[in-house]
Structures are given as C-alpha cells and as structure tokens.
Amino acid sequence: MKTFAEIDLIAPLQRALVDEKYEIPTPIQAQTVPAALSGRDVLGCAQTGTGKTAAFALPILDRLGKQNPPSKPNCPQVLVLAPTRELAIQIGDSFATYGKHLPIRHVMVYGGVSQTSQVRALSRGAHILVATPGRLLDLMNQGYIHLHHLQVFVLDEADRMLDMGFLPDLKKIIKQLPENRQSLFFSATMPPNIIELSQRLLTNPTSVNVTPKSTSVERIEQQVYHVERDGKRDLLKTILTRPDVDRAIVFSRTKRGANMLAQKLLLSGIKAAAIHGNKSQGARQRALEAFRTKQVEVLVATDVAARGIDIDGVTHVINYDLPAEPESYVHRIGRTGRAGAAGLAISFCGSDERSDLHAIEKLIGQKIPLAPGQPAPPPVSAQSKPADAPRGARGNSRHRHTPNSGPGPQRTTGRGSTEASATDGKPKPRRRRKGTQRRQQSGQASS
Ligand code: AMP
C-alpha cells in the first residue's frame, strides 16, 4: 500500500499531512487523489468517515498551490457544494487544516445566519467556496458570486442533497458552471436519479466505490439490550458512567426526546448536550465544539442533526430509540469507528421496536448480538410486524399502535414532530399530508 509520502503532492500538503499524522491514504483517497491530480473527473461512492473530504481537498489544494493564482473578489476557482451547513463547515475546516501551509483562502456560505459577513468575505476574494445550495443560489442571484472562473466543482453527499429536495436549486447552479472544468462527485448511494445527475455533470469519470454498506458495520462492534421504555433511562446512565465510555452520541428519534434526555443526564451529573433541528445554528455549533473539546461527554442527537458530524474518537453510539428507517442505523453507527478506529454501537430495543430491529438486521445482513450477560428476549408478540412486511408498514409499525394493539409501551412523545419529518424533506409514509409540505419547505430553507 502506498503512503502519502509516495503520492505526488506538493511539499506544503505533505507537511500538513505529517502534522495530522496521516500516513496511509484511506481506500477512497488512494483511488481518488491520483485520478483527480491527473485532471480526471471522479464519481465516488463513499460515505462520511471514509476520508472522502481529504480525497477531494488534497488534489484541489495541490492544483491551486501549484498555480498560486490571486484570489478574485466574488469569483471562486473551486466550488464545493454540501447539503448541510454542518457539513459545509467541516469541509471548510478540512481545507483550513490541509491547506494551512498554503496561501489559499476559502469562504463558507450557508443559510440560517446573516449573509453580511459571508458577502464581506466573498468580496475580499477566495479561491475556494464551500456552500449549501440555497444560500449559494441566493447570493448568486444577488450578484455576489460568479462562477465563470471556476476550475473545479465538487458535489458532496449528492444523494442526501436530493433527499433534502435540492434538485431544483442544483439544476440552476449546474447551468451556470463553465463547460471547461473538473468535476468530483460523491454520494453514499447510487440510486438511478443520482446516476442520471452524475452523467449530466461528469465527463469520462474515474469511478471509485469504497462503501459497500457493510464496511463500517463490520468494523464496529454492535450490541443490543432488550429493554422497555421505562428501563431505558437507567440503563443509559449505567452505560454512560462505565470507564470505557469516553465520548458517546446517543440517538433519540424526536427533538423533544433529545432535549428531555440531555436534561435528565445533566441532572444526574453527566455532561450532556442536545443537538437537533430546532436548535439555532449557533447552539448546534457550540454543542459540537463542546463535544469536540470534551467539555461535553455525551451528545444527544436526532438523525438529521447528526448527519455529517465528523468528530474523531467517538467511542460509543447508543440508539436510545431504534430508527424507523433501517438505513439510518448504518448512518448512526458510522459516527463511531471513524477512519479505521474501533467503536461500539449499543442499541436499546423495546418490545414495540422488535420489528425495527429485524429490519435493521436484514439490511446489514447480520444478527446484532445481545449485550454481554443479557438474557434472550421474550418471544415477539403477535402484533409485531415481521421484518419482511411492506416497508411502509414495517417502518411505522410503532406509529400504528392503538390503545389495544399490543403489550408494548405506548409512546407519548409527539410523533408528528420527529426530527426527520421536520427538517430533511424526505418523503416518508406519514399520516399528515400537510406536514410533508412543511418538511419540504423547511428542508430548503435550512440551507
Ligand atoms: P471524512 O470521511 O472526510 O469525513 O473523514 C473521516 C475522518 O477520517 C476525519 O476525521 C479525518 O480527519 C480522518 N482521516 C481522513 N483521512 C485520513 C487518513 N489518511 N489517515 C487517518 N485519518 C484520516
């Protein structure tokens, strides 16, 4: 396997990699960096946690470092599009880290905050612009961003971008890209609409595929506790106070649940913070920073808020509630075990969540082992849906409980306000039609 020292990157980048203690390129880097350095377009199938940010950031910085071009006001040479502000900020941070020995400027633009400082930064000139689609388009329409000097275009997490309803914005942005450019396209999954979009954007790309769903799953140790709702909180406290838990992310299905849980943990002396879509951008960043710097040991998160969180050294992911979408389980547990490190993912499964557990096990192609010392759970009740029931029915089996529908505890938290339904615009089989429309709008506005 090649080391970074053997890859033809300019000296300031090599120094930054040494500073970061990166020696061996991850698989996506090993394949993407040489192709992108040679000027090829790249179609990368990879999730966060695989090292894909450096896979595109290093060749971009290499190109700019060699050219050493002046930065022009409002005319970036590189555009990186990301679906969420958190991801945009992380990408910006990565450019700062890898480019710290280079005179390359980057600017980030994203919604949810005033545009004033972003406009000011753009007018001072930047080589690299990292943006979310909504705010980018806004600023382009106001004449603050022109793309005619663009050399490289990166689309990151393309599938998530379409899930969030950004396709119309994307199409408008793509129309303004110059013909002659390099394009690097990344997506965790490659459904037909993503392939179609990639064909529109890429010319004779090198295809790189490093994320068979199981890679991260295989590396992460998984355990399940069969525990009812009223026992979950005590179990959580017991686990979080174990000495092997250094940094943990606890997943809650709802924003309200995340808030309540964080408060209860704080009351019992565990330094916790909640992060979800109702929190302001500032509050989310503060919580992430506190977690990163270990002032906070436990982050209680909802699925959407946790997307793109890239913090090294998360030792434990705890699914306080199992996700309704089995794919979310893979995303959740991928917050631990970053870039080759080991991690432990613990799931709490109530009797009313048994069908969700089966759906997850079916997706990942393995049975999640019982936590050590745990007895086998009592048999599944007749009311639980089998794992191979139709997707809508299966994913929402819990929402269908009526007062007479089974022995599982009834959930009293507001189902209509799940995080996913509030912010990501992903069409899900839900009861309220109106809510779907609201989701779509807020997903776009949050860019
Ligand atoms: P990403 O997939 O870009 O979100 O990166 C996941 C994590 O892996 C980040 O925290 C990076 O700092 C880290 N990382 C990326 N590339 C390497 C590497 N070659 N060696 C060690 N760590 C890496």
Side-chain angles (χ1 to χ4, degrees):
M1 199 184 287
K2 268 193 175 178
T3 61
F4 273 117
E6 292 167 282
I7 293 182
D8 196 15
L9 288 166
I10 54 175
L13 289 177
Q14 294 286 8
R15 267 169 46 216
L17 291 171
V18 171
D19 295 345
E20 287 305 297
K21 302 191 171 57
Y22 291 6
E23 285 170 20
I24 310 286
T26 64
I28 183 102
Q29 293 162 358
Q31 296 176 65
T32 304
V33 173
L37 282 174
S38 73
R40 293 276 303 267
D41 282 3
V42 172
L43 173 61
C45 187
Q47 304 175 339
T48 49
T50 54
K52 72 176 160 57
T53 317
F56 63 75
L58 292 172
I60 287 171
L61 289 165
D62 187 89
R63 171 195 276 254
L64 293 174
K66 279 178 183 151
Q67 294 175 348
N68 200 12
S71 60
K72 296 194 183 73
N74 309 96
C75 289
Q77 279 119 339
V78 174
L79 170 65
V80 181
L81 267 189
T84 63
R85 46 201 169 194
E86 279 81 9
L87 189 62
I89 291 168
Q90 277 163 19
I91 294 170
D93 289 348
S94 296
F95 274 110
T97 304
Y98 307 135
K100 68 181 181 188
H101 302 301
L102 284 166
I104 304 292
R105 278 174 51 79
H106 74 273
V107 164
M108 292 173 269
V109 308
Y110 43 81
V113 292
S114 153
Q115 69 171 45
T116 316
S117 59
Q118 298 174 356
V119 167
R120 207 177 306 129
L122 286 163
S123 70
R124 284 199 294 266
H127 301 92
I128 300 167
L129 173 62
V130 186
T132 52
R135 177 58 62 93
L136 173 69
L137 209 52
D138 237 19
L139 296 179
M140 282 168 68
N141 290 339
Q142 294 175 59
Y144 291 120
I145 298 172
H146 309 283
L147 299 180
H148 42 265
H149 287 294
L150 208 70
Q151 298 181 30
V152 186
F153 173 62
V154 181
L155 188 61
D156 197 13
E157 306 218 346
D159 52 352
R160 199 167 290 174
M161 225 174 268
L162 297 205
D163 279 353
M164 292 174 74
F166 281 130
L167 189 59
D169 285 358
L170 262 184
K171 283 185 177 161
K172 289 181 200 149
I173 294 164
I174 290 168
K175 265 197 204 140
Q176 307 226 19
L177 299 175
E179 276 285 295
N180 196 4
R181 58 161 204 270
Q182 183 180 30
S183 300
L184 310 172
F185 185 109
F186 294 90
S187 187
T189 55
M190 289 286 164
N193 58 350
I194 292 293
I195 292 174
E196 194 190 316
L197 182 65
S198 72
Q199 283 165 348
R200 204 184 301 183
L201 275 169
L202 303 170
T203 311
N204 186 24
T206 300
S207 284
V208 179
N209 185 346
V210 295
T211 30
K213 276 230 158 86
S214 53
T215 3
S216 60
V217 173
E218 276 163 8
R219 209 178 46 229
I220 296 162
E221 189 185 340
Q222 300 168 70
Q223 297 173 355
V224 63
Y225 284 89
H226 288 274
V227 52
E228 299 309 326
R229 174 143 293 271
D230 54 7
K232 285 187 175 185
R233 204 182 290 155
D234 284 342
L235 177 61
L236 180 67
K237 282 187 215 157
T238 309
I239 292 174
L240 289 178
T241 44
R242 276 179 357 200
D244 60 316
V245 179
D246 192 29
R247 266 203 197 118
I249 301 183
V250 177
F251 280 94
S252 153
R253 259 207 202 188
T254 65
K255 295 178 246 192
R256 203 172 138 219
N259 275 342
M260 276 179 15
L261 206 51
Q263 272 167 18
K264 297 284 179 203
L265 291 175
L266 275 172
L267 284 176
S268 53
I270 296 171
K271 288 185 230 152
I275 168 170
H276 55 67
N278 277 4
K279 297 255 177 189
S280 71
Q281 168 69 358
R284 281 154 80 165
Q285 282 310 314
R286 275 195 301 280
L288 277 179
E289 201 42 41
F291 188 58
R292 209 185 296 275
T293 55
K294 290 205 177 168
Q295 289 155 273
V296 156
E297 300 153 339
V298 179
L299 207 54
V300 187
T302 52
D303 283 303
V304 169
R307 283 179 175 179
I309 289 183
D310 171 22
I311 292 175
D312 292 337
V314 174
T315 55
H316 292 68
V317 163
I318 299 173
N319 294 310
Y320 191 82
D321 304 309
L322 285 181
E325 302 285 339
E327 291 83 4
S328 297
Y329 177 83
V330 180
H331 284 299
R332 286 180 177 191
I333 72 168
R335 305 301 100 204
T336 183
R338 315 282 288 166
L344 177 57
I346 297 174
S347 296
F348 294 176
C349 177
S351 54
D352 59 338
E353 294 173 296
R354 214 69 76 73
S355 57
D356 294 327
L357 179 66
H358 291 153
I360 290 165
E361 291 179 332
K362 200 171 168 205
L363 176 80
I364 63 175
Q366 68 186 83
K367 205 163 159 46
I368 302 174
L370 289 171
Q374 289 303 298
V380 185
S381 74
Q383 280 80 6
S384 288
K385 296 241 180 276
D388 56 358
R391 203 183 146 71
R394 188 185 70 223
N396 288 296
S397 57
R398 275 177 287 164
H399 314 309
R400 293 172 179 229
H401 274 297
T402 63
N404 301 320
S405 72
Q410 297 302 304
R411 296 187 171 237
T412 49
T413 46
R415 279 281 149 229
S417 66
T418 63
E419 170 74 4
S421 65
T423 56
D424 74 356
K426 201 171 176 175
K428 293 190 178 72
R430 288 276 192 270
R431 268 177 282 171
R432 290 191 331 205
R433 181 87 196 105
K434 248 171 137 181
T436 312
Q437 287 158 0
R438 214 175 15 224
R439 284 197 297 279
Q440 195 75 16
Q441 284 158 3
S442 68
Q444 299 204 17
S446 76
S447 147

